[in-house]
Amino acid sequence: MPFSTIDTWVFDLDDTLYPASSNFFPQIAERMGLYVADRFDIPLAEAKKEQRRLFLEYGTTLSGLVAERGINVDEYAEFLMQVDYGRIPHSPALVEAVRKLPGRVLIFTNGFKEHAEACLDQLGFAHSDFEAIADIRTIAFKPKPRPIAFETFFSEHGVDPKTSIFFEDSPKNLRTAKELGMKTAHLVTDTAWGNMGLEDGDGFIDHSVLDLTAFLNDTVLESFS
């Protein structure tokens, strides 16, 4: 695929800009269960089942909590972020590669902007390295892989899907992106989430990426030299 047709580079955040091998995100998932247990005064085992139900029904635990419980979103974000961001590796080579990409560079995440900024700080990015961070608030708590999430993102940020590529660890999210016209790059992981959606094959994936920095340097940037 000629990267010369791409003018907008869109990155998911968790297990994409930082590697799943850092084992960072399980901390966030654990905090979600703890929040449900603490906020609604139920045993942790029951809370984890409720968390799972909300995730499966609404796409994210937060979207379910907003829809069914009307929770304080800022309070939830603050609770989730009480984790060790030091697990995310400082990545100067990735920062350098992203800064060399020609065109617009954005983040599109089902998480929170403040969480994304904390991750970027740890990786070594300046917040200004990305034109925008589209988060769960931007898409009105209607998360990927819903088409409305992508359509809202395109509209809010003037993104043409036909000249964009999306880097993401979730096949389910990439399938929607492809159906809406984006090129797709799958960050391959050994997580259950990273394989969910591959049951019917991977024909919607344009590139399988084992190492994001190496792919940007050796495949994408090399194509412009």
Side-chain angles (χ1 to χ4, degrees):
M1 185 200 82
F3 292 100
S4 60
T5 64
I6 302 299
D7 62 18
T8 306
W9 311 80
V10 183
F11 293 87
D12 175 49
L13 177 73
D14 294 302
D15 289 351
T16 297
L17 274 178
Y18 66 80
S21 60
S22 67
N23 203 34
F24 171 78
F25 192 75
Q27 297 178 101
I28 298 286
E30 183 68 19
R31 295 293 291 174
M32 292 177 188
L34 288 171
Y35 178 88
V36 174
D38 291 349
R39 180 70 172 77
F40 305 113
D41 194 25
I42 58 178
L44 183 57
E46 182 180 340
K48 288 184 175 181
K49 290 179 182 178
E50 177 67 358
Q51 173 197 350
R52 180 69 174 171
R53 179 188 71 81
L54 293 169
F55 168 74
L56 292 174
E57 288 188 22
Y58 293 92
T60 67
T61 302
L62 172 60
S63 296
L65 290 171
V66 168
E68 294 189 4
R69 303 278 191 161
I71 67 162
N72 182 309
V73 174
D74 293 339
E75 175 190 89
Y76 179 79
E78 183 178 353
F79 186 93
L80 257 57
M81 290 180 64
Q82 295 174 32
V83 293
D84 178 15
Y85 281 89
R87 290 191 187 180
I88 295 173
H90 193 61
S91 304
L94 174 63
V95 172
E96 183 180 1
V98 169
R99 287 174 176 170
K100 289 178 179 177
L101 292 172
R104 307 169 65 197
V105 185
L106 302 92
I107 290 173
F108 180 24
T109 175
N110 280 345
F112 294 101
K113 181 177 181 179
E114 51 265 55
H115 163 64
E117 290 176 340
C119 292
L120 294 181
D121 291 342
Q122 186 62 31
L123 285 163
F125 284 102
H127 299 176
S128 58
D129 287 327
F130 297 87
E131 179 183 313
I133 298 172
D135 73 345
I136 193 66
R137 296 183 183 94
T138 306
I139 53 180
F141 306 103
K142 296 179 175 65
K144 302 175 288 181
R146 299 184 192 181
I148 187 62
F150 287 85
E151 290 160 358
T152 301
F153 169 67
F154 298 152
S155 176
E156 286 288 323
H157 296 286
V159 170
D160 181 353
K162 292 183 175 58
T163 58
S164 304
I165 186 168
F166 188 35
F167 293 82
E168 162 77 76
D169 65 300
S170 165
K172 293 175 70 175
N173 295 343
L174 289 169
R175 183 182 292 277
T176 303
K178 185 67 173 180
E179 289 172 350
L180 293 175
M182 300 182 87
K183 299 297 186 293
T184 56
H186 179 218
L187 272 294
V188 179
T189 74
D190 60 2
T191 66
W193 174 249
N195 288 284
M196 200 179 296
L198 292 175
E199 297 83 3
D200 298 321
D202 61 359
F204 55 93
I205 294 172
D206 294 312
H207 301 279
S208 293
V209 179
L210 296 175
D211 181 287
L212 181 58
T213 303
F215 180 79
L216 293 179
N217 280 323
D218 300 339
T219 302
V220 176
L221 294 172
E222 185 66 25
S223 73
F224 290 101
S225 62

